[in-house]
Amino acid sequence: MIKESELKPENASFRETVPAGDYFLKVVKAGETVRILDLEGNQAADTLFYNAHNPTERYSAVDTIREQGNVYLTAGSKLMSSENNVMLEITADTCGRHDTLGGACAAESNTTRYALEKKCMHACRDSWLVAVTEHEELGMTKRDITHNINFFMNVPVTADGGLTFADGISDAGKYVELKAAMDVLVMISNCPQLNNPCNAYNPTPIEVLVWS
Amino acid sequence: MLQSAAPLYDDLIPGGSHWSFIMRRGHVLRLIDETGGANVGMLMYNPENPLERYNMPDTLKNQHTFLLTKGHVLLSDMGRVFASIIRDDLGWHDTVSGTCNADQVEKRWGKKTYQEAHNHYHRNGFSSFLNELAKYGLGKKDLTANLNWFSKVKTDDDGNMAYVSDHSYAGATVDLRFEMDTIVVLHTCPHPLNTTPDYPRHPLRYQLFKAAPVTDADPCKISSPEATRAFANTALYHMMQS
């Protein structure tokens, strides 16, 4: 569902551009709104959310889709935690659909999906592993890396149980906006994937904005 | 694909229960829906390094599928094959709906405590997984998207999910051939989308067999280029072990 936001970028309390291949880590407080902006189009923002006070509680793809009864995410979707609590709600979305089943790229999954010799290519899980090891104060490790949302990616499920990777439906300037229902740690890998036609083999920057 | 027709071991897990064990590489775990209507939640870990675990997204996207059935492989997050589905009588198993927790079970089927009902108390999948995971030093951080054997959840063109009741039947069988040593954690608690009026309590019969050797023409191994490469990764892992 396409729903535009009334929030103005010039009123944001925080703005940061995240280049492809970098991670983004920030606590968004309950009541605040975070926008992820696809600056150049069809970029994947692979995102994990954690309860900022207890990272053992985290975004759960399966709880989210089951509780809303639909496999796609868009405006109105409530993102559920592994303990079935609402973490955030998507309050605006100019893209229309986001994927939460396809997971993230990893060096190891690149070997199976593309070719064994792709194993040394930079991948989303590597970005997250760097994020948690550079922030030891969070007490997080690979154990905390779980299923994520692929904002701006389109992965349709067919009625006979197929899973397809369709061309992106995002474009330059499209965005998704989420209002936090609890204090959440937002951890994004701005996807460095060079093998996927969805982004035309060209990963690009995103911008993250927060309104208090 | 079994070395002999007689199981090495045969056991029944009551409905609404949990159990776990280590499957060794080269063995088959046969899951049988004893009464019809079963749901078996399952998680998998590498006992050598439990940070390697079943990965739902990789399993689905590598095989371009939303359902699991014969011919599919169950992938770890390290690009390797925990198990191959070498037999499936049902054609559709769910791995996207997660598991039910205590609040959901109480809301749907009421609270039934141990004091009141003894071993017929209402267990839930979330607590059941944690109970078994703790036996291996694992916990909430290790919970991930689980498999739901014998359960079918389909979608329409708009992505709306529908639980298919009466999907499984008495005697329906799934054979999992393990390609790696694997911690198997399971529960027989209800599927989280099951709305049957009474708490569904269906046992699981499971049997262990020795697997026949996996050839280069094995249907799971050649089911897709992605599966072939995952088998190659698994073979490399075993080479390093020997």
Side-chain angles (χ1 to χ4, degrees), chain B residues 77-99:
Chain B
D77 65 294
M78 297 296 279
R80 296 190 276 249
V81 183
F82 276 131
S84 304
I85 307 176
I86 60 172
R87 171 181 170 180
D88 174 30
D89 293 351
L90 290 175
W92 192 309
H93 302 266
D94 166 48
T95 186
V96 302
S97 304
T99 198

Side-chain angles (χ1 to χ4, degrees), chain A residues 109-115 165 193 196, chain B residues 61-62 226 229:
Chain A
S109 71
N110 281 343
T111 68
T112 56
R113 288 195 73 199
Y114 304 110
F165 290 84
Q193 184 56 264
N196 196 327
Chain B
K61 73 184 173 190
N62 268 280
E226 289 87 348
R229 290 191 286 266

Side-chain angles (χ1 to χ4, degrees), chain B residues 2 8 10 19 23 29 54-55 68 84 87 134 149 154 160 162 168 191-192 197 202 206 213 220-221:
Chain B
L2 304 177
L8 303 170
D10 181 303
W19 196 234
M23 283 299 297
L29 172 64
Y54 170 67
N55 189 292
L68 296 174
S84 304
R87 171 181 170 180
W149 297 109
K154 60 180 185 177
N160 297 304
S168 186
H191 188 280
H202 298 286
Y206 72 99
C220 288
K221 198 172 182 175

Side-chain angles (χ1 to χ4, degrees), chain A residues 24 28 32-36 49 88 176-180 186 208-211:
Chain A
F24 173 85
V28 175
E32 291 186 330
T33 296
V34 57
R35 176 186 295 182
I36 303 171
F49 297 103
L88 308 103
V176 60
E177 215 164 86
L178 307 103
K179 187 171 185 182
V186 181
V208 181
L209 301 88
V210 177
W211 288 265

Side-chain angles (χ1 to χ4, degrees), chain A residues 54-56 58 61-63 65-72 82-84 97 100-106 108-116 125 138-148 157-165, chain B residues 51-53 55-58 60-62 64-67 75 77-80 92 95-101 104 126 137-146 154-161 192-193 225-227 229-230 232-233:
Chain A
N54 173 18
T56 60
R58 70 276 308 270
V62 291
D63 290 284
I65 64 169
R66 184 192 66 238
E67 290 305 301
Q68 71 170 4
N70 191 290
V71 295
Y72 307 123
S82 52
E83 307 204 21
N84 219 39
R97 181 185 283 184
T100 190
L101 292 176
C105 59
E108 291 76 12
S109 71
N110 281 343
T111 68
T112 56
R113 288 195 73 199
Y114 304 110
L116 296 177
R125 192 169 68 197
L138 297 172
M140 292 163 70
T141 67
K142 179 174 178 285
R143 288 177 81 191
D144 298 284
I145 307 303
T146 176
H147 27 82
N148 59 287
V157 176
T158 64
D160 62 356
L163 191 72
T164 44
F165 290 84
Chain B
L51 286 173
E52 179 172 8
R53 66 273 314 265
N55 189 292
M56 172 271 281
D58 283 359
L60 297 184
K61 73 184 173 190
N62 268 280
H64 302 272
T65 187
F66 181 70
L67 59 84
L75 294 174
D77 65 294
M78 297 296 279
R80 296 190 276 249
W92 192 309
T95 186
V96 302
S97 304
T99 198
C100 56
N101 62 28
Q104 292 168 318
F126 184 83
L138 305 175
K140 281 185 183 176
K141 287 186 167 194
D142 304 290
L143 278 175
T144 182
N146 60 284
K154 60 180 185 177
T155 64
D156 64 16
D157 289 341
D158 296 322
N160 297 304
M161 298 162 75
L193 292 173
E226 289 87 348
R229 290 191 286 266
N233 285 339

